[in-house]
């Protein structure tokens, strides 16, 4: 896994900081569980009024699993 940070981290409200952590954690867990062997890139972009998370993988895309709500 590779992490990329863009922008300058400012002070985030605790609930936003916690939510961003949990969202990234869940997305990475899902990629590990469902993408098979894959590279994962987590991009955290800090902007003046927001934080943007992007989690990308190059693993397989099993549409049959997604239809059943599994990740």
């Amino acid at each position: 896994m590779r992490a990329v940070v863009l922008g300058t981290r400012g002070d985030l409200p605790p609930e936003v900081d916690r939510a961003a952590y949990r969202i990234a954690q869940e997305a990475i867990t899902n990629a590990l569980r469902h993408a098979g062997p894959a590279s994962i890139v987590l991009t955290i972009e800090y902007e003046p009024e927001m934080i943007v998370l992007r989690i990308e993988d190059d693993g397989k895309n099993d549409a049959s699993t997604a239809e059943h709500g599994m990740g």
Side-chain angles (χ1 to χ4, degrees):
M1 188 184 105
R2 184 169 64 105
V4 177
V5 179
L6 304 172
T8 302
R9 185 184 197 284
D11 289 330
L12 297 171
E15 59 275 2
V16 173
D17 193 41
R18 190 171 29 260
Y21 176 84
R22 295 292 185 204
I23 290 166
Q25 181 181 44
E26 180 70 12
I28 292 166
T29 298
N30 285 345
L32 291 170
R33 185 175 294 146
H34 301 291
S39 295
I40 301 169
V41 178
L42 165 65
T43 303
I44 304 168
E45 185 174 350
Y46 294 103
E47 297 188 5
E49 297 295 321
M50 72 176 77
I51 181 172
V52 178
L53 299 176
R54 188 171 37 256
I55 296 90
E56 301 171 278
D57 69 72
D58 60 0
K60 67 180 180 173
N61 180 9
D62 186 354
S64 65
T65 303
E67 290 174 15
H68 301 289
M70 305 292 285

